[in-house]
Amino acid sequence: MDYEALDFYEIDSLLTDEERMVRDMVRDWVDEEVIPNIENACREGVFPDEWRVALGEMGVLGAPLQGYGCPGLSYTAYGVICRELERGDSGLRSFASVQGSLAMYPIWDFGSEEQKNYYLPKMASGEWIGCFGLTEPDYGSNPGDMITKAEDIGDHYLLNGAKMWITNGTIAEVAVVWAKLGSEIRGFIVEKNDPGFTAPEMKGKHSLKASVTSELVFQDCKIPKDRILPGVKGLRGPFSCLNNARFGISWGAIGSAQACFHSAKDYSMSRIQFDHPIASYQLVQNKLAWMLREITKAQLLAYHLGQKKDAGNWIPEHISLAKMNNVDIALEIARVARDIHGANGILDEYPVMRHMANLESVKTYEGTHDIHNLIIGRHITGIQAFTREA
Amino acid sequence: MNIIVLLKQVPDTTAKISISSGFMDESTITKWSMSPYDEFALESALQLKQNCNGNLIAITCGPDRCSKMLTDAAAVGTDKLIHIHHEGYLDSIQTQTLLAAAIKKFEGEVIMCGKQAADTNSGSTGPGVAELIGASCITHVSEVKYENEELIATRLNSLGFEIISTSPPSIFAFDKGVKELRRPNVRGIMMAKKKEITRLTPEDLGASLTNSNINLISQMPPSEKAPGQKYEGTDSIHEIVSKLRDEANVI
């Protein structure tokens, strides 16, 4: 059955011609190259290298960045790309999010001219994969207390510490790593072969199985002086990257939800029980109607947020709301879709359980669901509730 | 070398076709696409353009909606876009007249098109245009190469493959080609957005639409297939065998 993206309010009609062409390009690629291969990639626990090449050839990496070989698309187009990729798999979208928003963006925004010219063209073409090191084993929601530190040793920096849950870590040529220089958080560009740097892969995930997740370990890792990001100090650096990645996730989750809806609709129309398709029963229709309702609302949130991002009149709390809501409903839609598929829903013949397991990670990473609630809570009340200290 | 590809926008193969008052109702079709055989022609034209450093012009004829398909063709590397604008029905002879006039105007030397359009299946564009412009026409082509200033086409006939050489002006009507139409990329899409589409009317081309001697009387959907029959259990074996033998004539 050909994929028909649910778009009840015809929100895609608001996209520009260019955005729609980019959508069709990515959607066709996902249909032809990703969907037929994703289950195998998950079983083997690999991110197929052909996908890196294809993303580079399509020119979608670092979508909204201008110059230095980057595509220069709108943020809305970036959202559409994330949505279409995540319709295939959240692990694929994670690859693109990390490459564009977390590795390329900080170099583009905070890097020196030399750093931009050296790294960005090769990252936009997909030749070099990037990763982003912020989270540590003991510091997830609270990155400000990170213990990874950099020391100024005259002609170089020395990096010590460890990062965890790093998408693309083991396959990356370039890592943007956040570490404390004195008491201040700074960004450093670490290259794969830097002495004292290793990136062992984390195994045993039940989620995002087609995505590489790693630790980054720094033991007296020597970094040349010109690899510090000169343009930013403090948590503002990593947080501005996260804003862009979370924006992409708010669109991406819709893609997963659309895939689950599509599968649940098809399945319920053809699955006969008690002599009739299960889609003809009120309980199933109620579930499908609820899915359509939540997807439509999520689409409106994402589209409007895209317009605000492109116009530059957004605040991080706007992104928190969309990330939190859209991932939350996508996960719930995946669970309900799994339910509609009955026992068949647990098989990899259908995409629903894979999306469901993926979305459990997506709900947690890039600011957990609860942390986004606290961000909005602080916005409403002016009182931060992250810590017990004032 | 001027290479021209003739493209037709057709209802997407997934579109639902409805008939009202004896004719297809276009307003119910929500998705239009480039006709699949035209895609093979376009891919081959792009390869030829690269091999002979040629200039690739895409021409379509039809209403406003067809512009989008030309932009799609630009996104994969077409140099020049020509839209012969005409709202409403065009029969095969009218279409061929318009296309032939445009090919002459833009001095096309090698012309590529699909062997038939996915909607009308008429298969007359290639041979019809060839007749009007006095070009050779090779149909059911799967590949065209440019070697030593000759065009070498591979075509499938009932005996196997034929290799045919020809020199311009020539028209190649494509069957399924050896390579699917390439995917665009973001750079191509952004260039395509800026590419101007030259819009021409039949009058601009000095083409008359009144010399057609064919008339479309009506259209109707295909008759619905009779529902399948289902048999269960060993008791029905005799009945199934007799039906397969006497009704279906398969055993």
Side-chain angles (χ1 to χ4, degrees), chain A residues 2 18 25 32 57-59, chain B residues 14 183-186 190 193:
Chain A
D2 281 339
E18 180 179 286
M25 169 186 76
E32 285 163 24
E57 281 175 355
M58 285 191 284
Chain B
T14 59
R183 193 172 286 115
N185 59 29
V186 167
M190 292 176 92
K193 185 183 68 172

Side-chain angles (χ1 to χ4, degrees), chain B residues 87-139:
Chain B
E87 297 286 334
Y89 178 76
L90 285 169
D91 67 36
S92 306
I93 291 176
Q94 290 168 327
T95 305
Q96 290 156 23
T97 305
L98 292 171
L99 292 173
I103 291 167
K104 282 183 188 160
K105 181 176 170 70
F106 295 99
E107 297 170 352
E109 298 164 84
V110 179
I111 295 99
M112 296 188 172
C113 62
K115 67 169 183 170
Q116 66 198 65
D119 55 352
T120 54
N121 273 350
S122 119
S124 59
T125 297
V129 171
E131 177 72 20
L132 290 173
I133 64 168
S136 59
C137 180
I138 302 171
T139 56

Side-chain angles (χ1 to χ4, degrees), chain B residues 38-199:
Chain B
D38 296 359
E39 289 191 354
F40 287 112
L42 174 55
E43 176 56 37
S44 190
L46 288 163
Q47 288 174 27
L48 185 64
K49 164 187 141 81
Q50 285 161 343
N51 291 341
C52 70
N53 204 18
N55 179 42
L56 177 56
I57 306 167
I59 303 180
T60 193
C61 172
D64 276 341
R65 59 170 158 74
C66 303
S67 291
K68 187 201 173 290
M69 178 187 62
L70 290 176
T71 306
D72 289 342
V76 289
T78 304
D79 300 302
K80 193 169 168 62
L81 311 173
I82 312 296
H83 184 175
I84 307 166
H85 181 252
H86 181 83
E87 297 286 334
Y89 178 76
L90 285 169
D91 67 36
S92 306
I93 291 176
Q94 290 168 327
T95 305
Q96 290 156 23
T97 305
L98 292 171
L99 292 173
I103 291 167
K104 282 183 188 160
K105 181 176 170 70
F106 295 99
E107 297 170 352
E109 298 164 84
V110 179
I111 295 99
M112 296 188 172
C113 62
K115 67 169 183 170
Q116 66 198 65
D119 55 352
T120 54
N121 273 350
S122 119
S124 59
T125 297
V129 171
E131 177 72 20
L132 290 173
I133 64 168
S136 59
C137 180
I138 302 171
T139 56
H140 296 265
V141 168
S142 58
E143 194 173 16
V144 175
K145 286 182 180 161
Y146 185 66
E147 287 169 5
N148 304 323
E149 308 205 347
E150 271 197 325
L151 295 155
I152 315 285
T154 306
R155 73 183 295 272
L156 185 63
N157 69 13
S158 55
L159 304 171
F161 287 104
E162 282 179 342
I163 309 291
I164 294 173
S165 84
T166 182
S167 52
S170 316
I171 294 193
F172 300 94
F174 269 77
D175 204 330
K176 195 173 183 316
V178 290
K179 191 164 173 275
E180 302 250 344
L181 179 58
R182 64 196 63 186
R183 193 172 286 115
N185 59 29
V186 167
R187 205 179 297 274
I189 289 170
M190 292 176 92
M191 301 260 284
K193 185 183 68 172
K194 294 184 198 131
K195 188 143 282 180
E196 194 187 333
I197 297 176
T198 306
R199 256 167 92 112

Side-chain angles (χ1 to χ4, degrees), chain A residues 93-327:
Chain A
R93 198 270 308 133
S94 298
F95 176 92
S97 288
V98 168
Q99 178 79 354
S101 288
L102 299 185
M104 292 170 70
Y105 173 80
I107 296 172
W108 181 84
D109 200 5
F110 311 124
S112 66
E113 207 50 35
E114 292 74 23
Q115 289 168 343
K116 292 180 204 189
N117 282 316
Y118 183 66
Y119 293 105
L120 290 177
K122 285 198 164 64
M123 294 174 85
S125 70
E127 190 184 334
W128 284 353
I129 298 175
C131 69
F132 172 89
L134 176 67
T135 297
E136 299 185 355
D138 294 325
Y139 296 93
S141 295
N142 174 24
D145 286 344
M146 68 173 64
I147 49 179
T148 299
K149 64 172 187 189
E151 277 175 277
D152 189 338
I153 315 283
D155 66 341
H156 63 271
Y157 294 107
L158 212 55
L159 215 55
N160 275 290
K163 300 289 180 180
M164 204 174 179
W165 306 112
I166 310 305
T167 299
N168 297 351
T170 311
I171 57 175
E173 297 287 331
V174 183
V176 172
V177 177
W178 303 92
K180 277 188 178 157
L181 183 63
S183 60
E184 215 162 38
I185 292 173
R186 298 295 301 263
F188 297 87
I189 303 172
V190 180
E191 293 185 7
K192 190 179 189 144
N193 295 321
D194 283 337
F197 171 45
T198 50
E201 188 170 353
M202 296 170 66
K203 292 287 191 183
K205 287 177 296 170
H206 281 303
S207 175
L208 299 178
K209 292 171 84 156
S211 166
V212 172
T213 311
S214 317
E215 290 177 64
L216 307 182
V217 182
F218 309 97
Q219 284 176 311
D220 289 334
C221 174
K222 260 176 89 169
I223 308 289
K225 271 291 178 62
D226 60 4
R227 298 252 214 88
I228 192 167
L229 293 176
V232 74
K233 289 173 184 174
L235 274 176
R236 185 177 77 81
F239 281 177
S240 25
C241 306
L242 292 171
N243 278 329
N244 286 334
R246 291 164 179 173
F247 168 80
I249 292 169
S250 73
W251 282 80
I254 297 168
S256 285
Q258 286 172 310
C260 292
F261 174 84
H262 177 75
S263 186
K265 178 188 151 191
D266 268 5
Y267 183 83
S268 62
M269 299 284 276
S270 61
R271 172 73 176 173
I272 310 290
Q273 286 296 285
F274 304 104
D275 297 330
H276 296 283
I278 60 170
S280 68
Y281 298 119
Q282 291 183 359
L283 283 171
V284 173
Q285 289 198 3
N286 185 40
K287 291 184 175 94
L288 293 172
W290 174 79
M291 289 179 180
L292 178 143
R293 181 178 108 195
E294 291 304 328
I295 289 172
T296 303
K297 288 193 283 189
Q299 285 169 325
L300 287 167
L301 276 187
Y303 177 77
H304 191 66
L305 182 63
Q307 296 303 295
K308 288 187 82 62
K309 198 87 172 64
D310 281 321
N313 60 357
W314 58 281
I315 54 174
E317 288 81 355
H318 292 152
I319 294 176
S320 286
L321 179 74
K323 191 272 180 185
M324 174 180 75
N325 179 77
N326 292 5
V327 176

